[in-house]
Amino acid sequence: MARANDEAAALIQELADLLSITGGDAFKIRAYEKAARAIAGYPEDVSGLNLTGLKKIPAVGEAIAKKLVDYNETGTIRQVEELRAQVPSSVRALTAIPTLGPKKALLLYQRLGVATVDELEAALDEGRLHGLKGFGPKSEENIRHGIELLRQTGDRVLIGTAAALADEIVAALAPLAERITHAGSLRRMRETIGDVDVLAASADPRPLMEAFTALPFVTEVIAGGDKKTSVRTYRGPQVDLRVVPPESWGAALQYFTGSQAHNIRTREIAVKAKLKLSEYGLFTASGELIVSETEEEVYERLGMPWIPPALREDGGEIEAALADALPDLVTVEHIKGDLHTHTDLTDGRATLEEMVRTAAERGLAYYAVTDHAPDLAMHQMTDAKMLAQRERIRALQKEYPDLAILHGSELNIGPDGSVDWDADFLSGFDMCVASVHSHFNQDQAEMTRRFITACENPHVHVIGHPTARLIGRRAPVDADWDEVFRAAARTGTAMEVNCFPDRLDLPADLIRRALRFGVKFSIDTDAHSVADQRNIRFGVGTAQRGWLTPDDVINTWPLPRLREFLAAKKG
DNA sequence: GCCGTTTTCGGCCCGACTGTTTTCAGTCG
């Protein structure tokens, strides 16, 4: 079940969308959009707030607060219902077609009665768009093409896919640019990526643009100018290349990193200081360039320290920066160990020796081997196999004086919250992760009880991939997370941030909620192969989006402190 | 609709590209 805040935010956002279709005031629309973001990110549950409490939410005033009261009392908002009666919600869905925005969608609905994507396709086939104001032959072609794209691609791709594509493009174009890097949602480490943004600095954009459109995986050039070129690729996402003069690098990187909401806030601050911020720099009112060579300069001139990209979502980072209260975020360099990994003893694809050697090459100080336990029957684990692995680890340890190899297991959390093995056998491990691998559809009360029971087990140190979601394939399980986090904090059980690009679990919003309860975290690769160990950057990015500092993350701690944490585990 | 170390009224981020336009609206990020 969605949190009330998410439902309420979605309704306010729908109100903004419907108003933009029916031609409402643009500033009012922006006010709703801003409020929707604030509501989604507000830590307190809106369903428990009265009018006074609701007005304390940033960007929510008297009018929107009353709409939220309406939502709390009736489960919906009257104005949204009224607008839905005027414009079917399917018209709103039309704007998902690239090149078709609210204005054109409304025109299609009013003049042709087109209210769904299927009806639009039929209208195109029948030639009913001919002669419609603003719709020439090229528009028809674009819409037809847009419908096709909408149907074939699930639009966004996993961060791992986008990162690999961006790395390749940056490497291919680097010789032609003074500076080049990826920006956009990929730099902010969002879990899925719509478009890959690449930014380059060069006084001569032409050769870059030509090399870009000639890359082997480019299937189509959507737009091609001197400053911006957009292409589609058969690898999935659209890629935008922006080229700016070298002296604009800092302002451009700040701008193209976004998010859009964050940029609006920074530009508002500039305007209040009688300045103008664009991708070309920070300027005085008379158009004189002040700074723009580095992002640090731009933020500093606006009265803020540099803000890490992962925080730039207008989720309170501007306020924190202005108060000089930004968190010192955890980075990949802080990671001293990995507490959830596999070998070919169960479903891994590399041997114990290969996995440990890779961990040593990463410069880790400790590394836990946590193969699956017997309750996941398919792996056919036995006590004897586990004890034999422990002997191999003890022997292997002699070869790695600087890497402590811990012996653990990834236990299975059963439907009732119980785990594999008895206390006696469990006490032989250095540490244990425990995860949900089945019975994903339990109701919220059962699932919550299940997690709390697991947390209360003195041998469970980390809850693995807590929501069990697979991005784009399996929904998160339904639990009362506040209750689970309370239990985790009370018992000294860490919540995992799993680094797999299709898991990223806990997700950033739940990390931030858990943090408020004093929960500790473990950023683990869950590596099943040598290559999987490189996924650490995606988990760290997710942790950053959840505002975690090294102190919140147990595997950034020196080994003695980690051992104290494990030993202090309470039932 | 929100908001206020210039304001309780009058502001509200900024630019690139496309297509259909004879000077600009719509879309996108």
Side-chain angles (χ1 to χ4, degrees), chain A residues 110-289:
Chain A
Q110 289 181 330
R111 303 289 291 278
L112 304 178
V114 165
T116 67
V117 176
D118 286 342
E119 287 170 12
L120 176 55
E121 200 168 33
L124 279 165
D125 289 341
E126 295 158 13
R128 290 165 59 207
L129 270 64
H130 296 330
L132 206 56
K133 188 164 177 285
F135 290 83
K138 193 69 189 166
S139 296
E140 284 193 28
E141 195 185 319
N142 284 340
I143 292 170
R144 210 179 269 282
H145 190 49
I147 291 173
E148 199 182 313
L149 281 170
L150 188 66
R151 288 191 172 146
Q152 74 185 23
T153 68
D155 57 5
R156 300 184 76 85
V157 299
L158 297 177
I159 190 170
T161 309
L165 181 60
D167 289 350
E168 220 173 297
I169 293 167
V170 167
L173 301 182
L176 299 170
E178 283 194 29
R179 311 184 70 162
I180 184 164
T181 188
H182 64 270
S185 53
L186 181 57
R187 185 166 181 243
R188 300 200 312 278
M189 287 296 209
R190 281 201 48 176
E191 56 197 33
T192 61
I193 309 296
D195 303 324
V196 171
D197 291 298
V198 177
L199 177 68
S202 171
D204 181 18
R206 279 289 163 73
L208 265 168
M209 295 306 193
E210 283 167 14
F212 177 54
T213 53
L215 288 171
F217 39 78
V218 170
T219 55
E220 184 190 345
V221 178
I222 304 162
D226 265 358
K227 299 184 169 73
K228 174 186 174 181
T229 295
S230 303
V231 303
R232 283 193 239 280
T233 66
Y234 68 73
R235 305 251 301 255
Q238 173 180 327
V239 184
D240 293 345
L241 174 64
R242 307 290 300 233
V243 182
V244 297
E247 60 271 22
S248 300
W249 177 258
L253 185 56
Q254 196 279 330
Y255 175 72
F256 291 116
T257 297
S259 64
Q260 194 177 14
H262 176 87
N263 285 354
I264 290 172
R265 295 294 308 280
T266 53
R267 288 180 180 207
E268 281 172 356
I269 290 171
V271 167
K272 280 181 190 133
K274 300 256 187 287
L275 303 170
K276 189 188 73 162
L277 179 62
S278 79
E279 56 264 54
Y280 297 110
L282 187 61
F283 300 91
T284 63
S286 58
E288 189 186 343
L289 178 67

Side-chain angles (χ1 to χ4, degrees), chain A residues 430-467:
Chain A
D430 295 311
M431 61 153 295
C432 287
V433 178
S435 320
V436 164
H437 295 108
S438 64
H439 301 85
F440 302 114
N441 293 325
Q442 282 181 321
D443 67 33
Q444 192 186 75
E446 278 180 321
M447 191 63 82
T448 304
R449 191 62 234 159
R450 185 178 181 184
F451 278 117
I452 291 172
T453 301
C455 285
E456 287 173 344
N457 186 318
H459 301 286
V460 170
H461 301 99
V462 177
I463 302 294
H465 45 72
T467 78

Side-chain angles (χ1 to χ4, degrees), chain A residues 19-35:
Chain A
L19 273 178
S20 76
I21 291 171
T22 55
D25 174 57
F27 295 113
K28 191 192 274 194
I29 293 165
R30 262 195 53 195
Y32 284 137
E33 289 176 337
K34 206 168 169 180

Side-chain angles (χ1 to χ4, degrees), chain A residues 356-408:
Chain A
V356 168
R357 189 187 320 129
T358 305
E361 286 164 4
R362 282 168 69 193
L364 295 181
Y366 46 91
Y367 182 82
V369 178
T370 57
D371 273 312
H372 289 287
D375 288 358
L376 274 186
M378 62 182 172
H379 298 305
Q380 306 203 315
M381 180 53 71
T382 62
D383 293 13
K385 282 191 194 176
M386 212 33 133
L387 294 172
Q389 184 183 55
R390 188 170 301 163
E391 289 313 307
R392 281 173 72 194
I393 287 174
R394 298 300 177 242
L396 191 60
Q397 179 67 76
K398 297 187 177 70
E399 297 175 31
Y400 293 94
D402 298 326
L403 176 69
I405 312 172
L406 308 180
H407 192 220

Side-chain angles (χ1 to χ4, degrees), chain A residues 94-115:
Chain A
L94 287 181
T95 62
I97 299 168
T99 74
L100 195 61
K103 295 287 175 292
K104 287 187 165 179
L106 181 67
L107 198 71
L108 289 171
Y109 175 62
Q110 289 181 330
R111 303 289 291 278
L112 304 178
V114 165

Side-chain angles (χ1 to χ4, degrees), chain A residues 402-560:
Chain A
D402 298 326
L403 176 69
I405 312 172
L406 308 180
H407 192 220
S409 177
E410 182 184 8
L411 308 172
N412 183 60
I413 304 177
D416 61 353
S418 65
V419 299
D420 316 60
W421 285 309
D422 58 27
D424 188 43
F425 194 87
L426 288 172
S427 61
F429 288 107
D430 295 311
M431 61 153 295
C432 287
V433 178
S435 320
V436 164
H437 295 108
S438 64
H439 301 85
F440 302 114
N441 293 325
Q442 282 181 321
D443 67 33
Q444 192 186 75
E446 278 180 321
M447 191 63 82
T448 304
R449 191 62 234 159
R450 185 178 181 184
F451 278 117
I452 291 172
T453 301
C455 285
E456 287 173 344
N457 186 318
H459 301 286
V460 170
H461 301 99
V462 177
I463 302 294
H465 45 72
T467 78
R469 71 169 180 174
L470 293 175
I471 298 172
R473 290 187 289 145
R474 184 167 69 213
V477 298
D478 184 13
D480 182 337
W481 292 109
D482 287 352
E483 285 305 317
V484 174
F485 296 150
R486 210 169 267 132
R490 171 170 55 80
T491 59
T493 312
M495 286 282 145
E496 182 173 76
V497 180
N498 189 289
C499 297
F500 256 88
D502 65 349
R503 287 195 185 271
L504 300 177
D505 188 7
L506 289 177
D509 57 337
L510 285 180
I511 293 173
R512 236 181 136 179
R513 267 170 82 186
L515 192 55
R516 297 173 59 230
F517 292 92
V519 169
K520 297 298 180 189
F521 303 83
S522 181
I523 306 174
D524 302 325
T525 64
D526 189 8
H528 285 64
S529 72
V530 165
D532 288 346
Q533 293 198 39
R534 288 202 292 268
N535 289 336
I536 187 72
R537 63 170 165 157
F538 304 126
V540 169
T542 302
Q544 291 183 336
R545 293 178 62 79
W547 291 53
L548 296 191
T549 69
D551 193 54
D552 303 315
V553 180
I554 63 173
N555 58 321
T556 66
W557 299 348
L559 185 58

